[in-house]
Amino acid sequence: MTSEKKQTQVRLDGNVLEAGKAAARARRLDFNKYVERLIVEDTTGARAAGMTAAQRLIDEHGGFLDDLEEQFDAPYADPQSGAAA
């Protein structure tokens, strides 16, 4: 099954457009595909399901993730005042 693509025009604030283009590049998507994906995720409930799953992960494992982050950051922590560098 193939879907027929339709062309549309959207007017965006310049800052919003640039932010969207940067987000698309970060995901290695062209801007049109990025916008299409956002609309599909929003209208199918996929985005909400993903956000719910992410929140559940944070709720259940947030303490572990915080501890892990502290361990990763420890080598880069500032030396204590008065300590020899």
Side-chain angles (χ1 to χ4, degrees), residues 77-85:
D78 291 332
Q80 295 195 16
S81 60

Side-chain angles (χ1 to χ4, degrees), residues 18-30:
E18 289 309 311
K21 287 181 176 182
R25 282 191 303 272
R27 290 162 179 78
R28 294 187 170 93
L29 297 171
D30 66 50

